[in-house]
Amino acid sequence: MKFGVMFRLQLADACKYILGLSVLAFWFGLVSKVVTLLVNGFPIIGGSVTIFYLIVGIFIGAIQPYRRFYLGMQTGMSRRTLFRSSVLSFAAAAVLSEVMILLWVQFVALLGGKTTVFIQLMGYRGTINGSALVASALVEVLSMLLIMVAAYAVTLTRVAVSSKMYNLAVVWLIIVGFGPVLKWLTGLFIHTDNPASTLTLRIINGSLTHINGVAQASPWLLVGLMVLGVAFCALAAWLIIQRAEARANVDILAI
């Protein structure tokens, strides 16, 4: 199987879920507009749909190893080709998601509603100008790419280790990591006084040591850190897929 064929298969998988979510979101937007016309004072749907695309991104990253990994292995595809087609399909899916988010912004505006800029939802305190809008779009794309690659790397471990070891690791991570992850997510979108929330506000406003005010705020630190995060997760996935290929060969020969 050639790289182009695998890339198209993986991209088709991802686009199916992204476009499905987009159709659903736009449909609810229309329903909301009708309700607005029928019920006086009912608020038009708006806000930010980015979080829903991030959730879909987790699913896309998680299904790739199972949907296409063994198919590629059985047809003699190399590790490098499998990895490259997966990451490139994730990048294309992230860009498609951003296109749908921008269309959603225009759609809500046509219906008389108002959306929230994603970096503002995260706690950005600076002025929303052209630079901030570009940074916000990059944050959305990189967030979706990061979460897809991270989910991909995590799921690849399932085909790299024994089932018993994997199940034990999952249980251990749930027990140990549930609290910190929940705390971080709370600080990301529901700003409180906890350290995770404070660090999030610092980063989104352009600092690691303090929360910048309106005049000094800049979201570009977050953009840079997310680029590093994508690179780290991609490296982890690359290291895991080398082990996963060896194990996949054993599993295929055992069938």
Side-chain angles (χ1 to χ4, degrees):
M1 182 181 291
K2 295 182 179 180
F3 166 79
V5 175
M6 177 60 76
F7 174 73
R8 287 193 294 271
L9 287 172
Q10 291 178 308
L11 184 58
D13 287 341
C15 289
K16 177 174 63 177
Y17 297 108
I18 292 170
L19 294 176
L21 173 63
S22 300
V23 169
L24 187 63
F26 280 71
W27 168 250
F28 276 115
L30 286 174
V31 170
S32 175
K33 182 61 176 178
V34 172
V35 172
T36 303
L37 294 174
L38 295 177
V39 182
N40 186 28
F42 193 90
I44 181 71
I45 190 169
S48 175
V49 294
T50 305
I51 297 173
F52 297 105
Y53 282 96
L54 291 175
I55 295 172
V56 172
I58 295 174
F59 184 73
I60 291 171
I63 65 171
Q64 287 288 33
Y66 290 103
R67 292 294 299 272
R68 303 302 177 193
F69 182 81
Y70 285 115
L71 174 62
M73 290 300 306
Q74 290 173 321
T75 54
M77 185 170 285
S78 68
R79 291 173 298 180
R80 185 184 299 275
T81 301
L82 278 169
F83 174 77
R84 189 164 50 122
S85 65
S86 296
V87 174
L88 287 178
S89 68
F90 294 151
V95 173
L96 176 60
S97 297
E98 180 60 23
V99 170
M100 301 311 298
I101 290 171
L102 294 176
L103 289 175
W104 168 258
V105 171
Q106 298 302 317
F107 177 69
V108 171
L110 286 174
L111 295 182
K114 186 178 181 181
T115 56
T116 303
V117 178
F118 187 58
I119 57 174
Q120 280 187 317
L121 185 65
M122 296 179 70
Y124 178 63
R125 295 185 174 186
T127 304
I128 299 299
N129 50 26
S131 176
L133 289 175
V134 171
S136 183
L138 286 174
V139 168
E140 289 176 327
V141 172
L142 289 169
S143 294
M144 287 177 279
L145 180 57
L146 174 62
I147 207 163
M148 288 180 195
V149 177
Y152 180 60
V154 171
T155 309
L156 276 174
T157 61
R158 180 65 183 85
V159 293
V161 300
S162 68
S163 297
K164 184 177 181 180
M165 183 187 300
Y166 182 83
N167 293 335
L168 288 174
V170 168
V171 172
W172 183 82
L173 287 174
I174 290 175
I175 293 173
V176 175
F178 179 78
V181 170
L182 183 61
K183 188 176 183 180
W184 178 78
L185 289 175
T186 301
L188 190 59
F189 296 111
I190 306 174
H191 303 296
T192 63
D193 293 330
N194 67 53
S197 180
T198 301
L199 179 60
T200 300
L201 289 172
R202 288 174 180 173
I203 292 174
I204 190 59
N205 286 286
S207 176
L208 292 173
T209 59
H210 60 278
I211 301 175
N212 286 330
V214 175
Q216 297 80 28
S218 170
W220 292 101
L221 174 62
L222 178 63
V223 174
L225 289 176
M226 295 197 74
V227 170
L228 292 177
V230 171
F232 175 80
C233 290
L235 176 61
W238 170 247
L239 294 175
I240 294 169
I241 203 172
Q242 296 182 75
R243 163 94 178 159
E245 184 194 41
R247 183 169 179 78
N249 284 333
V250 173
D251 291 341
I252 292 168
L253 292 172
I255 293 175

